[in-house]
Amino acid sequence: MSALDGLYQEVILDHAKRRSGEGLVAPDPGHGSGESHQYNPTCGDEITVRVELAPAGAGTEPVVGRLTWEGEGCSISMAAASVLAEAAPGMTRSELRALIGSFRELLRSRGTVEPDEEVLGDAAAFAGVSRFVARVKCAMLGWVAAEEALGRAG
């Protein structure tokens, strides 16, 4: 295992243990929100993600105020949700959609795409997961829920 692979593994294990954003939080008054529940029938992992949008200023896009979640599953799915909960706040809708798209591209690459840490941040740690097709769904579960919740957010 390379030093980078070892670092990535530590990031995933850390997020699996100290889960950022865990526990659904009611949106602040006047903030829009959307929620999505996703279930992976292959392994039984499930998650509910709530995306809260802070009101936009004149001519600006709303930004994610917070992303919270609750779920049960393997360390990969829970860590991936934690990483997303840390990354999303402060992003506009389009920035969050772009991040989700970049993460999806990395995971579908089967190890052929090098992660761009500038774009993905801690989510780059999941690059090794892309080589294991059965685990890709685990890593994507919370991100798919966030994508759907974002579409439902008012």
Side-chain angles (χ1 to χ4, degrees):
M1 176 182 341
S2 75
L4 187 57
D5 288 340
L7 176 63
Y8 283 169
Q9 194 172 34
E10 282 183 41
V11 168
I12 292 171
L13 291 173
D14 185 47
H15 274 280
K17 289 178 187 168
R18 60 159 197 89
R19 300 172 179 182
S20 296
E22 186 176 33
L24 291 175
V25 177
D28 290 336
H31 287 204
S33 71
E35 188 174 298
S36 174
H37 178 82
Q38 297 291 316
Y39 174 71
N40 183 347
T42 305
C43 64
D45 291 1
E46 61 184 302
I47 195 166
T48 301
V49 172
R50 182 175 292 147
V51 175
E52 178 182 339
L53 296 176
T60 62
E61 216 180 324
V63 298
V64 176
R66 70 182 143 211
L67 185 150
T68 58
W69 60 275
E70 64 183 15
E72 292 292 329
C74 68
S75 60
I76 290 174
S77 64
M78 300 296 100
S82 175
V83 166
L84 181 58
E86 280 190 2
M91 290 186 166
T92 64
R93 283 180 191 252
S94 55
E95 289 169 339
L96 182 53
R97 283 188 181 110
L99 177 65
I100 292 168
S102 294
F103 189 66
R104 180 177 282 122
E105 179 184 348
L106 174 69
L107 290 179
R108 288 183 175 168
S109 76
R110 296 196 181 203
T112 62
V113 171
E114 284 296 316
D116 184 342
E117 290 185 38
E118 294 273 328
V119 172
L120 294 168
D122 279 355
F126 294 86
V129 172
S130 70
R131 294 187 299 264
F132 304 97
V133 176
R135 306 306 290 186
V136 168
K137 286 184 181 182
C138 297
M140 280 302 303
L141 192 66
W143 293 63
V144 168
E147 186 175 46
E148 189 171 298
L150 188 61
R152 294 177 177 174

